[in-house]
Structures are given as C-alpha cells and as structure tokens.
Amino acid sequence: MANIVTGIGTSHVPSVGAVIDNGKEQDPYWKPLFDGYQPARDWIQDNMPDVAIVVYNDHASAFGLNLIPTFTLGVAEEFPPADEGYGPRKVPTAVGDPDLAWHLAESLILDEFDMTIANEMSVDHGCTVPLSIMFDKPEQWPCKIIPLCVNVIQYPPPTGKRCFDLGKAIRKAVEAYDKDIKVAIFGTGGMSHQLQGERAGLVNAEFDQSFLDRLTTDPVGLTKIPHVEYMREAGSEGIELVMWLIMRGAMGDDASETYKFYHVPASNTGAGLIVLEDGSQK
Ligand code: DHB
Ligand code: FE
C-alpha cells in the first residue's frame, strides 16, 4: 500500500528561484531565509519520498484567461519548466508518475471531485520554486512529481473547505494504490502578499504565523476562513494559502509538526515553511 508520509507547506516566491539559480543564497538579504530552509532540506534528504504531489498555482504561464480549470491533475510522463517571459528556469524537467496520477484521477473523479486532466503541461515558479527550496539544485529532481494545479488567480477560486476535502480524498486514493511507495504532498503559495493596487506590499506576519500554528492545532478552523478574510488579512494574493489546506487534508488527523519557519521579508511576501509528518508513521 502507498502512504502519504510527508506534508510540506511553502511559499513559492519567484525571486527565491532566481537566487538559487544564480547562487546568491549567502547574500545578506537572503541568508536568513536560506538558513531557515536548511533544516527542512537536511530532513528531506533522510526522508526522501518516491513521489511528490505538488499542489501549486499557475500564474498565466500554462493557462490563461481562455481556460480556467479549478483543479488540474498532471498525468503526463514529464512536465517542463514554463517560460515566464525570461526563458524557462534552468531546472530539471519534472518526471511524472502517470500510473499513480491516473489512479488519483479515477479515484478523485469517482469521489465527485471533477478534476481536469492534463496530458501536457509546463510548470511555472509556483511548482518549480518549492522544488528548489526543498531539493536545491540537483541534475534531476530526486523523486517523481505529480503537479496538481489550482486556480487561485481568477475569481472564484475554490474554498478552503473544498481544498481540505480534496486533500482527504487524495489521502484515500493514495492509500488504495497497490504499490508500496512513499508519497509526499506539497501545499504551496502565499503567504500574505499583495502585488497590486493601493495595498501593494502588504504583509501580515501575525496572520501568517497564526496560519502556520493552526495547520497543526486547528486545521478544521482554517477551513472556515472565507475568501474575503484572506483578502483583508493576507492581501489579494494571500488567497494562494488555500492550497496549503489540500496538503493539510491529505495529512490526516494525527499529523505532527516536524519543522516550522517564518521569515519577513522575502521579496513582497512573508515566507513560511512547514514540514508535517504522518502520525501513523512515527
Ligand atoms: C511574488 C510572490 C508570488 O507568490 C508570486 O507568485 C509572484 C511574486 C513576490 O513576492 O514578488
Ligand atoms: Fe504566486
């Protein structure tokens, strides 16, 4: 039987990708952030999953306003980095796991989550930056990747509750998969930030830190946060945080926190990182 053993929550700040690509981690501005990432990077090397389901959002790279699927599951053999206007990042092409991905598609759709299925999809910083944060700069990513893309760009995005329930359905699907593999799930994006308008530059460290704490202590309470509260408290792009609730739903009730880190500023956001472990594995 397959198991979801690890949950990672992390911001996906695009400039963090550029810092890693250009070897600037020790610059005074970035060093505190990368010092905070290091324990999680060390931990994952000793706890490497076979497959990572990366829940992320596309930023008008693979999709545009012509096509706005709420939940898209990547079932392809591979997912190349997207060109976001300055050429694709020089990171490895993510190697997929079509067998597990199709199993997930079947289980989720029969469980009444109407997933869009992508046989071809490039992945932008929303997916590649979290991989770089956890795995640094390898020749190939150290595990297979199943991208799960969520619309949080064009209103209306899914609710936190819907995301949490999708996570639970993912857990059920993985546990019904007949191969004996370890699966990690990444919930990415956020934390508080607003990139436009009068409140551009908004960061709310108190909201972010409470969100990080409640991921462990009160995940069900987090599912009750309405969109307008994310907007008000975490800025217009803070809504990316609903994707962390897919990860949290997939981790089950007795998940425990292994590592947590928060740092401001990282470009225009508060940057958070959390590592959760499945309770039944301990
Ligand atoms: C920034 C953060 C994001 O999550 C994003 O998608 C784009 C930009 C930023 O901090 O600049
Ligand atoms: Fe983003």
Side-chain angles (χ1 to χ4, degrees), residues 12-14 59 125 190 193 195 240 266-269:
H12 64 211
V13 186
H59 304 73
H125 70 268
H193 63 305
L195 301 175
E240 289 181 344
S267 183
N268 299 296
T269 76

Side-chain angles (χ1 to χ4, degrees), residues 14-26:
S15 44
V16 167
V19 169
I20 295 169
D21 297 347
N22 294 294
K24 303 279 190 197
E25 295 93 328
Q26 295 307 312

Side-chain angles (χ1 to χ4, degrees), residues 136-159:
D136 201 4
K137 256 164 108 159
E139 283 287 308
Q140 296 298 330
W141 298 124
C143 60
K144 292 179 177 175
I145 309 293
I146 297 180
L148 197 174
C149 183
V150 181
N151 167 46
V152 290
I153 291 290
Q154 172 61 50
Y155 188 85
T159 63

Side-chain angles (χ1 to χ4, degrees), residues 125-177:
H125 70 268
C127 181
T128 64
V129 167
L131 295 174
S132 301
I133 288 171
M134 290 307 292
F135 302 133
D136 201 4
K137 256 164 108 159
E139 283 287 308
Q140 296 298 330
W141 298 124
C143 60
K144 292 179 177 175
I145 309 293
I146 297 180
L148 197 174
C149 183
V150 181
N151 167 46
V152 290
I153 291 290
Q154 172 61 50
Y155 188 85
T159 63
K161 163 85 165 47
R162 183 68 173 158
C163 288
F164 191 72
D165 290 345
L166 175 60
K168 284 194 195 170
I170 290 171
R171 184 175 186 84
K172 178 178 155 197
V174 168
E175 288 181 347
Y177 189 57

Side-chain angles (χ1 to χ4, degrees), residues 95-255:
V95 173
D97 186 341
D99 194 60
L100 174 57
W102 275 107
H103 167 83
L104 289 174
E106 180 181 11
S107 180
L108 294 174
I109 290 169
L110 296 183
D111 251 345
E112 302 178 347
F113 289 88
D114 304 318
M115 311 301 287
T116 296
I117 294 173
N119 280 303
E120 203 180 310
M121 186 163 69
S122 60
V123 287
D124 75 6
H125 70 268
C127 181
T128 64
V129 167
L131 295 174
S132 301
I133 288 171
M134 290 307 292
F135 302 133
D136 201 4
K137 256 164 108 159
E139 283 287 308
Q140 296 298 330
W141 298 124
C143 60
K144 292 179 177 175
I145 309 293
I146 297 180
L148 197 174
C149 183
V150 181
N151 167 46
V152 290
I153 291 290
Q154 172 61 50
Y155 188 85
T159 63
K161 163 85 165 47
R162 183 68 173 158
C163 288
F164 191 72
D165 290 345
L166 175 60
K168 284 194 195 170
I170 290 171
R171 184 175 186 84
K172 178 178 155 197
V174 168
E175 288 181 347
Y177 189 57
D178 58 7
K179 284 190 197 151
D180 198 11
I181 56 167
K182 287 188 185 143
V183 178
I185 183 160
F186 285 42
T188 72
M191 298 189 89
S192 58
H193 63 305
Q194 173 145 345
L195 301 175
Q196 71 222 291
E198 279 179 23
R199 298 203 307 161
L202 177 144
V203 169
N204 183 344
E206 208 177 308
F207 178 90
D208 289 342
Q209 283 168 327
S210 158
F211 189 94
L212 282 171
D213 292 343
R214 290 172 72 194
L215 271 177
T216 315
T217 60
D218 181 28
V220 173
L222 289 181
T223 68
K224 296 181 181 141
I225 300 177
H227 287 144
V228 67
E229 190 175 328
Y230 283 106
M231 284 277 271
R232 192 171 55 232
E233 297 297 328
S236 52
E237 277 67 56
I239 191 62
E240 289 181 344
L241 280 169
V242 292
M243 295 184 288
W244 293 45
L245 297 178
I246 299 180
M247 176 278 282
R248 185 62 188 90
M251 289 308 293
D253 296 339
D254 53 358

